């Protein structure tokens, strides 16, 4: 099958409109206790997530355990997301590993109907700037979908490299997970007009105000995956300039959540999944090498979650 071409300008505008309207949703991937994909549960879970009106949906990315999905599972997840989104929200699927494998996933996402791709950091090795640029060029050459680069871990772009990747017609934006605001400001100043930037820090709300000061107000929300009521309340407070409301949510919910998240490697995903299960959402366990939280951390998570829901007038399991 040939490449499916999507006009980058159309996707940029849809994403820009969505970013102004709501948080960026990174749904969890539902698994059974034996580790197999539970597509029926995923569809039920995602339907509930999209009912809360996010700005865009990013399936099979970091929170969705892209790194543990095979190609058939990936195809099923992206296809289900496109069907349920039904054109109401931009669908940006994750791709990753080396460029050759990224292109394989990209073509699956094309066939499934995704609008764009988030290029997750490549696997294992560090690389020079020329290699990071070439990686994106090769992925762009293998897909008709627009690309958003993701700098995190071993991937960090200089201002000059940012200019070079922005010259690739299908590269429409950059998601930042380093939280180096000095470097990020240099990147935003080096980018052409209309280039998109996203705050991709872990628990991005913690740094949302700081990112906005360097021109990056849009952010991904892992909290939306299990408590969209809290995520949307924070987004609204931030948009409306309600500093007291933002501060209260940060102090009484987000900071305790981050302190719990930082206890164990991988909790940025497995703690989110555990919180979703506490709410009765059909997401199942994580896959190895991640591990589900133990009883002590689960008890602490339960308290943090209840405190956050109480702040926004929500309950853990609505009737």
């Amino acid at each position: 099958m040939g490449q499916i071409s999507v006009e980058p300008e159309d996707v940029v505008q849809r994403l820009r409109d969505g970013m102004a309207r709501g948080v960026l949703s990174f749904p969890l991937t539902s698994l059974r206790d034996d580790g197999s994909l539970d597509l029926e549960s995923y569809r039920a879970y995602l339907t509930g997530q999209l009912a809360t009106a996010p700005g865009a949906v990013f399936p099979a990315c970091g929170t969705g355990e892209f790194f543990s999905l095979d190609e058939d599972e990936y195809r099923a997840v992206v296809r289900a997301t496109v069907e349920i989104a039904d054109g109401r929200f931009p669908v940006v699927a994750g791709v990753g590993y080396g460029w050759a494998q990224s292109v394989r996933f990209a073509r699956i996402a094309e066939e499934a109907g995704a609008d764009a791709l988030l290029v997750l950091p490549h696997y294992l090795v560090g690389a020079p700037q020329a290699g990071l640029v070439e990686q994106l060029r090769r992925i762009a050459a293998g897909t008709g979908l627009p690309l958003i680069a993701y700098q995190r871990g071993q991937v960090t772009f200089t201002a000059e490299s940012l200019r070079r990747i922005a010259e690739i017609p299908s590269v429409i934006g950059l998601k930042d997970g380093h939280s180096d605001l000095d470097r990020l400001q240099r990147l935003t100043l080096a980018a052409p007009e209309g280039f998109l930037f996203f705050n991709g820090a872990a628990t991005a709300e913690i740094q949302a105000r700081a990112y906005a000061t360097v021109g990056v107000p849009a952010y991904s929300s892992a909290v939306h995956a299990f408590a969209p009521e809290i995520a949307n309340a924070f987004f609204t407070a931030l948009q409306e300039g309600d500093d007291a409301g933002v501060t209260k949510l940060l102090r009484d919910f987000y900071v305790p959540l981050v302190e719990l998240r930082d206890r164990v490697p991988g909790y940025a995903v497995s703690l989110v999944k555990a919180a979703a299960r506490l709410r009765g959402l059909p997401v199942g366990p994580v896959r190895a090498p991640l591990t589900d939280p133990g009883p002590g951390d689960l008890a602490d998570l339960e308290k943090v979650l209840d405190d956050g829901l109480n702040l926004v007038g929500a309950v853990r399991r609505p009737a």
Side-chain angles (χ1 to χ4, degrees):
M1 182 177 292
Q3 290 183 17
I4 299 169
S5 181
V6 176
E7 290 297 326
E9 296 82 4
D10 294 343
V11 176
V12 166
Q13 189 57 54
R14 291 186 66 205
L15 282 168
R16 195 178 300 284
D17 292 344
M19 288 154 53
R21 183 178 64 244
V23 300
L24 306 177
S25 174
F26 284 68
L28 299 157
T29 299
S30 299
L31 302 173
R32 300 184 181 90
D33 289 342
D34 65 0
S36 61
L37 176 65
D38 187 346
L39 192 60
E40 182 178 352
S41 290
Y42 176 74
R43 294 178 69 91
Y45 162 72
L46 184 66
T47 297
Q49 290 295 110
L50 296 189
T52 65
V57 57
F58 289 66
C61 292
T63 307
E65 297 179 83
F66 166 80
F67 48 84
S68 75
L69 300 177
D70 67 28
E71 292 180 13
D72 289 338
E73 292 168 334
Y74 176 84
R75 178 181 291 104
V77 167
V78 177
R79 182 177 292 158
T81 305
V82 171
E83 290 174 359
I84 294 167
D86 194 25
R88 297 173 295 155
F89 311 96
V91 175
V92 185
V95 299
Y97 306 114
W99 65 264
Q101 189 64 41
S102 291
V103 168
R104 289 177 65 91
F105 280 104
R107 290 176 176 168
I108 292 170
E110 284 184 14
E111 293 170 6
D115 297 296
L117 303 169
L118 177 66
V119 181
L120 302 168
H122 64 268
Y123 172 68
L124 188 62
V125 296
Q129 291 295 305
L132 298 180
V133 174
E134 184 64 17
Q135 164 96 335
L136 284 171
R137 281 188 178 140
R138 288 182 176 264
I139 296 171
T143 176
L145 294 181
L147 306 178
I148 298 168
Y150 190 2
Q151 64 168 17
R152 188 170 182 164
Q154 67 270 37
V155 176
T156 303
F157 292 101
T158 64
E160 177 57 29
S161 293
L162 189 283
R163 293 187 190 98
R164 292 170 66 192
I165 67 171
E167 291 172 353
I168 303 169
S170 61
V171 176
I172 62 173
L174 176 76
K175 182 180 179 185
D176 174 73
H178 287 301
S179 304
D180 181 338
L181 297 184
D182 179 288
R183 180 184 294 273
L184 184 58
Q185 182 70 91
R186 295 167 192 259
L187 296 181
T188 62
L189 294 173
E193 184 177 356
F195 197 77
L196 299 175
F197 284 90
F198 307 86
N199 167 4
T203 317
E205 287 92 341
I206 287 285
Q207 301 185 62
R209 285 192 288 200
Y211 268 80
T213 65
V214 295
V216 184
Y219 61 90
S220 56
S221 176
V223 169
H224 187 271
F226 65 88
E229 305 97 324
I230 300 173
N232 289 342
F234 183 91
F235 179 84
T236 298
L238 193 65
Q239 290 287 98
E240 295 179 352
D242 179 6
D243 286 338
V246 168
T247 298
K248 185 170 182 58
L249 282 165
L250 288 173
R251 182 184 58 238
D252 296 342
F253 171 71
Y254 282 98
V255 168
L257 179 68
V258 167
E259 290 174 348
L260 181 55
R261 181 203 71 199
D262 289 346
R263 289 181 187 177
V264 177
Y267 265 15
V269 177
S270 55
L271 205 70
V272 170
K273 234 177 183 182
R277 291 195 302 273
L278 285 173
R279 302 206 69 192
L281 300 175
V283 298
V286 292
R287 275 182 177 169
L290 301 181
T291 58
D292 291 308
D297 287 347
L298 275 177
D300 291 343
L301 176 62
E302 188 172 2
K303 182 181 185 308
V304 170
L305 176 59
D306 285 344
D307 287 347
L309 292 170
N310 286 337
L311 286 173
V312 299
V315 296
R316 196 193 309 168
R317 298 201 184 193

